[in-house]
């Protein structure tokens, strides 16, 4: 097989060589795909050769009849990237035959422990997205102990996510056991994070989730010797790591849709059921909101301390600013508001090349969102029990709002402040004093958009 591997490796650019190799392997792919040694050939073949040239070979994984009669109804499928979904869409009457053939290959592959091969993970992912929930429920126990090997690719991650969705509570605990010690690295992996999110999202035993998953976040091995650095700062400022916090901080489906793309939402869907005794039975018994709140309590103090101690870093990071926004929305406090405004205050007029928060592209958007959130809630700042971020910002920058208006982006922050009823009058009163200067700046190309928006907001107020 070493000779064949070298042929594939060095001849893939030659069209004639590709044709000869594909022709010689025709009809043998299902056997090779579940052979301990042959699997390496299949892996290199699908990852090296052009997809169009291997389309017919891939069809053999769904059943011999699909490869034999590919020139007919399946011509469109074979010309591109054949998948189990496309096959069944074009020939729905052969759904059961295709699923049975794929199931046999998967079972043989699992016996040979082929979980680490990309083609095997791809085939498995196609199966779990098409197969009935009960079939995924039945196959899950054979997969979950190998979760860590499956998370190297997006398809493998989808497999573990679906096994977590339709598996039993015992299956979910076995996934957690397989991932023990890998929580932090999984959350920062471009694909693996999604399986961990789904596991957290459907597991009713929140105590077990805390012990196996969340407890690992309490200490960061890379910064444990450095005082004052939150152990979750690296996760909060990571595109993928921050999504675990955003998942737990999302108080509604609308907020969840704000931070997760359609492909992620498809995996994180709610209401998964399996058939038992002819009835649909949910795979998770606990109320989703109850589960979310229980998990959030375990990391509440960690999140609040993160935002208090690292407000500046979070405001300047897109993922970090999202976490900061939702932490403040979930756990508003005067101390947290002071920390955020304090970071803004320190950034204004600071030495060096770093822009102030109000001029920073990400920072000013974060400030706008915090202010607009308050405007939507119509917070009554006269109420002693309420916390107003806008009034805190105004009190610190009273008499200095012209400094915020000195930049184009800063003007947009002031426009957002004007939408908060509790501080609107005071902001108008102070900004009016600098109206002539703002009009003058509006003639500057770089400042035009912000100054015009601020002047328009003043006139409408």
């Amino acid at each position: 097989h070493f000779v064949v591997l070298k042929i594939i490796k060095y001849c893939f650019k030659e069209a004639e060589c590709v044709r000869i190799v594909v022709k010689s392997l025709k009809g043998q792919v299902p056997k090779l795909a579940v052979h301990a040694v042959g699997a390496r050939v299949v892996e290199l073949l699908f990852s090296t050769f052009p997809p169009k040239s291997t389309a017919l070979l891939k069809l053999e994984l769904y059943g011999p009849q699909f490869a034999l009669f590919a020139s007919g109804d399946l011509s469109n499928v074979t010309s591109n990237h054949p998948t189990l979904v496309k096959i069944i869409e074009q020939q729905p009457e052969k759904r059961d035959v295709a699923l049975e053939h794929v199931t046999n290959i998967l079972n043989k592959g699992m016996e040979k422990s082929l979980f680490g091969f990309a083609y095997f993970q791809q085939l498995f992912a196609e199966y779990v997205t098409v197969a009935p929930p009960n079939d995924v429920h039945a196959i899950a126990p054979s997969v979950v102990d190998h979760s860590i090997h499956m998370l190297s690719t997006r398809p493998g991650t989808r497999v573990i996510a679906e096994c977590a969705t339709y598996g039993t509570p015992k299956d979910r605990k076995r996934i957690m056991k397989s991932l023990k010690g890998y929580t932090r690295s999984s959350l920062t992996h471009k694909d693996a994070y999604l399986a961990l999110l789904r596991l957290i999202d459907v597991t009713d035993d929140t105590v077990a989730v805390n012990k196996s998953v969340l407890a690992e976040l309490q200490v960061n091995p890379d910064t444990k010797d450095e005082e004052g650095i939150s152990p979750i700062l690296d996760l909060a400022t990571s595109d993928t790591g921050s999504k675990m916090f955003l998942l737990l901080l999302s108080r509604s489906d609308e907020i969840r849709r704000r931070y997760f793309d359609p492909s992620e939402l498809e995996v994180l869907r709610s209401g998964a059921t399996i058939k038992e005794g002819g009835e649909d039975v949910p795979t998770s018994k606990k109320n989703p909101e109850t589960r979310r709140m229980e998990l959030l309590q375990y990391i509440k103090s960690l999140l609040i301390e993160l935002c208090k101690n690292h407000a500046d870093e979070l405001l300047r990071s897109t993922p970090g600013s999202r976490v900061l926004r939702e932490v403040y929305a979930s756990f508003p406090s005067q101390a947290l508001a002071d920390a955020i405004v304090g970071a803004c205050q320190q950034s204004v007029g600071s030495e060096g090349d770093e822009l102030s928060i109000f001029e920073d592209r990400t920072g000013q958007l974060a400030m706008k969102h915090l202010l607009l959130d308050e405007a939507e809630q119509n917070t009554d700042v006269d109420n002693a029990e309420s916390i107003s971020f806008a009034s805190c910002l105004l009190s610190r920058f009273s008499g200095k709002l012209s400094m915020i208006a000195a930049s184009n982006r800063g003007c947009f922050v002031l426009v957002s402040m004007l939408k908060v009823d509790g501080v609107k009058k005071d902001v108008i009163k102070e900004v009016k004093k600098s109206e002539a200067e703002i009009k003058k700046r509006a003639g500057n190309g770089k400042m035009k958009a912000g100054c015009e928006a601020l002047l328009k907001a003043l006139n409408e107020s």
Side-chain angles (χ1 to χ4, degrees), residues 132-152:
N134 280 58
D135 289 355
V136 180
H137 174 80
I139 207 169
S142 303
V143 188
V144 291
D145 288 334
H146 304 275
S147 297
I148 193 62
H149 303 295
M150 297 287 283
L151 299 187
S152 57

Side-chain angles (χ1 to χ4, degrees), residues 39-54:
R40 300 176 191 175
V41 174
V42 177
E43 177 81 345
L44 188 63
L45 182 76
F46 285 135
S47 63
T48 306
F49 278 15
K52 191 172 181 179
S53 64
T54 58

Side-chain angles (χ1 to χ4, degrees), residues 159-214:
V159 174
I160 300 304
E162 294 302 318
C163 288
T165 301
Y166 296 112
T168 63
K170 186 177 179 181
D171 292 333
R172 291 166 185 163
K173 288 184 178 179
R174 286 166 63 189
I175 294 175
M176 284 188 270
K177 184 178 180 181
S178 175
L179 300 181
K180 192 170 184 180
Y182 295 96
T183 297
R184 190 175 292 275
S185 58
S186 296
L187 285 174
T188 52
H189 188 275
K190 62 184 179 69
D191 298 318
Y193 76 96
L194 193 54
L196 205 54
L197 295 190
R198 188 51 171 169
L199 181 64
I200 292 170
D201 195 38
V202 298
T203 304
D204 290 333
D205 189 350
T206 53
V207 175
V209 172
N210 178 47
K211 289 181 178 178
S212 299
V213 180
L214 302 182

